[in-house]
Amino acid sequence: MQHLEEQIAHLTRTIDDMSDIVAKQQQDIELLTKRVQMLIEREANREAEGGGGVIFADERPPHY
């Protein structure tokens, strides 16, 4: 009986640890999703303003 109680305690601890890891990963995913959305919006604004960064054949890059 004591062996089963030890196993249950170990499994409970493992589940709690995994739950904490999953919660942290969810926070990371939400943060990354917000950042990607921000970058998408920023790029859309650049394209809308005409500053999409397209270099034409007769245009030299600024480092020349």
Side-chain angles (χ1 to χ4, degrees):
M1 186 68 161
Q2 184 179 356
H3 176 68
L4 292 175
E5 289 174 351
E6 289 174 3
Q7 275 189 322
I8 290 171
H10 176 70
L11 291 173
T12 300
R13 170 80 188 250
T14 302
I15 289 171
D16 289 343
D17 290 346
M18 291 176 73
S19 179
D20 292 343
I21 290 169
V22 169
K24 174 69 171 104
Q25 288 177 339
Q26 182 61 35
Q27 290 174 346
D28 291 345
I29 289 170
E30 289 172 1
L31 176 64
L32 292 171
T33 300
K34 287 178 186 177
R35 287 182 178 176
V36 167
Q37 184 61 38
M38 180 187 67
L39 291 171
I40 290 171
E41 290 172 7
R42 198 182 285 176
E43 183 60 24
N45 288 338
R46 272 192 208 152
E47 288 181 11
E49 293 172 358
V54 177
I55 299 176
F56 297 101
D58 61 345
E59 186 179 333
R60 295 175 68 179
H63 63 277
Y64 276 91

